[in-house]
Amino acid sequence: MIHVCYGLYDKTGHYSKFTGTSILSMFENTKEKVTVHIFHDDTLTDVNRQRFQAVAEKYNQTIKFYNFDKICPEKIKYLCEKLDNVFESRFSIGTFYRLMIDKNFFGDDVSKIIYLDSDTVINLDIARLWEFSMKRYPIAAVPELYASQRYMLIDKFLINSGKVSIPDYFCAGVIVINLEKLEDDFFYKGIQWLADNPECNCFDQDILNNFFFRTYRKLPPEFNSFVEIEKRLSDGTILEKIYHYAGSVALGFDMKNPYDKLFFSYFIKSPWFDLELIENFYKIIKKIYIECQDLRINFSARFSGKERAFFVTSDNVDTIKGIFMVKDSEEFIVAYSSKDLEKLISAIQKSRGKKIFFIMANYNFVKEKLIDAGFVEKVDFLNAEVFLSDKHGYKLPTYTILKFL
């Protein structure tokens, strides 16, 4: 029997479909018997629980549920006390569930378990990962150098501080855990260490790296392949891998993209692909349409009687001039560095009420500075990207849509 676990926190009720799709993809490709252990809290709805059970029954496999709010409330309390910002971070509390694993959950016959992030597609037989011997190792994982091809190794405190070398830092989205080598107080030690090192921004992953970077077993890259990197660097050939859809640009609705298509090839077989999903999709598309119409109306009203002006990064000059058919008479400021913000602020002050500036340079940063200077968004300036599409190299952010289906 192969044992696999997932951590699930589903505040909106829409995230379970990712966990369910990952589980279904694993069942599709695995011949042996698998028991999936879902670590969750009270956010797991009865409907989603029934859907998980339906997936297991379809493939004659087993799913067990563990409500951590009830099983280990003392650990949840300790986590919230030590990390009072845990619910405000980009990570949910569910990411810490892998640290709460206790060998007593599973019985004496289970000596190891595979942990998988919910945003994975298991496009291989999971038995290949299960077969790795763990006798000498506390955990096994893929070095992030292999998983993300260096692209996601920036701003890692453990690396920048010199404690962990780049080749040794691993990704915690797919790990094999040796239950026999887990210390009883590992969770408490880990959370205390994170509380003492607030510079760490990868939470559970940094905890695991801090304790195990010297002793973990390094797995081949096919067991944790980042889709965002695959989309950038590979030729799109789908292989027998665990594909990790980490990041907001990793998954979308582009059916010409083999990685988006791979996810949906499994998703459509799940109980989450139903009439309710189609209804939600219609509501979202309708909302987008209304927002686009409102944008046109508001733009027309706010732009009335004003001239256009542009603030653009140096690498976008020719592109923006071509797309917006910029005239020689229109003001055009090229941003070579953050110092050029002073030019922009001065230009808006001089022309306030007469011009509206199209910003095409680190918009969120520029917006913050302009608001601080007393200017009004959509009156004095606006985000030029809202007028661009995939025709101009700007893809529709469809992952946001998928999250709410």
Side-chain angles (χ1 to χ4, degrees), residues 67-175:
N67 188 331
F68 274 21
D69 281 341
K70 295 180 173 61
I71 294 174
C72 45
E74 70 289 345
K75 289 184 177 179
I76 301 294
K77 181 181 179 182
Y78 184 80
L79 172 66
C80 294
E81 288 174 349
K82 289 292 181 178
L83 305 174
D84 56 1
N85 64 337
V86 64
F87 290 104
E88 300 172 2
S89 73
R90 64 191 175 97
F91 298 100
S92 75
I93 195 172
T95 198
F96 290 96
Y97 290 164
R98 76 197 79 183
L99 305 179
M100 300 182 190
I101 290 176
D102 190 317
K103 59 186 176 183
N104 295 318
F105 291 167
F106 312 109
D108 295 336
D109 59 330
V110 182
S111 61
K112 65 179 178 180
I113 193 164
I114 297 171
Y115 170 86
L116 297 171
D117 273 354
S118 292
D119 54 357
T120 54
V121 162
I122 318 304
N123 202 49
L124 51 71
D125 191 326
I126 201 68
R128 288 173 50 187
L129 179 55
W130 183 255
E131 288 167 357
F132 281 88
S133 174
M134 295 295 295
K135 290 182 179 179
R136 294 172 45 209
Y137 306 95
I139 67 170
V142 176
E144 190 150 327
L145 176 64
Y146 301 152
S148 69
Q149 300 292 309
R150 287 186 180 269
Y151 281 90
M152 296 181 182
L153 284 170
I154 59 173
D155 296 329
K156 296 287 192 294
F157 171 73
L158 288 176
I159 293 175
N160 295 339
S161 65
K163 179 165 186 178
V164 181
S165 68
I166 288 178
D168 290 332
Y169 189 87
F170 60 84
C171 176
V174 178
I175 52 176

Side-chain angles (χ1 to χ4, degrees), residues 104-304:
N104 295 318
F105 291 167
F106 312 109
D108 295 336
D109 59 330
V110 182
S111 61
K112 65 179 178 180
I113 193 164
I114 297 171
Y115 170 86
L116 297 171
D117 273 354
S118 292
D119 54 357
T120 54
V121 162
I122 318 304
N123 202 49
L124 51 71
D125 191 326
I126 201 68
R128 288 173 50 187
L129 179 55
W130 183 255
E131 288 167 357
F132 281 88
S133 174
M134 295 295 295
K135 290 182 179 179
R136 294 172 45 209
Y137 306 95
I139 67 170
V142 176
E144 190 150 327
L145 176 64
Y146 301 152
S148 69
Q149 300 292 309
R150 287 186 180 269
Y151 281 90
M152 296 181 182
L153 284 170
I154 59 173
D155 296 329
K156 296 287 192 294
F157 171 73
L158 288 176
I159 293 175
N160 295 339
S161 65
K163 179 165 186 178
V164 181
S165 68
I166 288 178
D168 290 332
Y169 189 87
F170 60 84
C171 176
V174 178
I175 52 176
V176 186
I177 302 171
N178 185 341
L179 298 171
E180 302 297 329
K181 289 189 175 292
L182 271 189
E183 297 181 14
D184 292 338
D185 59 349
F186 168 69
F187 171 78
Y188 296 100
K189 286 182 177 178
I191 298 303
Q192 182 61 60
W193 176 85
L194 187 60
D196 294 338
N197 294 274
E199 305 93 338
C200 294
N201 59 7
C202 289
F203 289 9
D204 57 293
Q205 181 164 287
D206 281 338
I207 291 174
L208 290 165
N209 271 276
N210 176 70
F211 285 90
F212 300 122
F213 76 92
R214 290 189 182 92
T215 57
Y216 79 101
R217 177 166 192 168
K218 293 182 178 180
L219 296 172
E222 63 263 29
F223 292 110
N224 195 344
S225 182
F226 279 54
V227 171
E228 181 177 342
I229 310 306
E230 292 273 0
K231 285 185 173 182
R232 293 186 195 181
L233 302 180
S234 76
D235 63 1
T237 301
I238 299 298
L239 303 172
E240 291 188 359
K241 291 183 176 183
I242 294 179
Y243 286 103
H244 195 168
Y245 290 79
S248 60
V249 301
L251 181 61
F253 278 118
D254 185 358
M255 291 300 102
K256 293 181 180 179
N257 186 284
Y259 303 102
D260 290 359
K261 195 171 182 178
L262 176 67
F263 173 85
F264 278 95
S265 71
Y266 292 113
F267 177 54
I268 60 175
K269 298 178 183 179
S270 78
W272 286 268
F273 191 82
D274 59 5
L275 181 60
E276 181 183 354
L277 180 137
I278 302 299
E279 291 174 343
N280 287 339
F281 185 73
Y282 171 74
K283 291 177 184 177
I284 293 169
I285 296 301
K286 184 178 180 180
K287 181 174 180 290
I288 292 173
Y289 174 74
I290 292 172
E291 288 175 351
C292 287
Q293 295 299 94
D294 286 344
L295 176 64
R296 291 174 179 173
I297 294 170
N298 291 334
F299 177 71
S300 176
R302 293 184 184 277
F303 197 74
S304 178

Side-chain angles (χ1 to χ4, degrees), residues 22-44:
S22 180
I23 293 171
L24 185 146
S25 68
M26 177 173 55
F27 289 165
E28 277 267 325
N29 293 297
T30 302
K31 299 175 183 178
E32 296 185 35
K33 288 294 184 180
V34 180
T35 296
V36 171
H37 308 264
I38 297 181
F39 305 148
H40 65 92
D41 58 11
D42 290 334
T43 62
L44 175 62

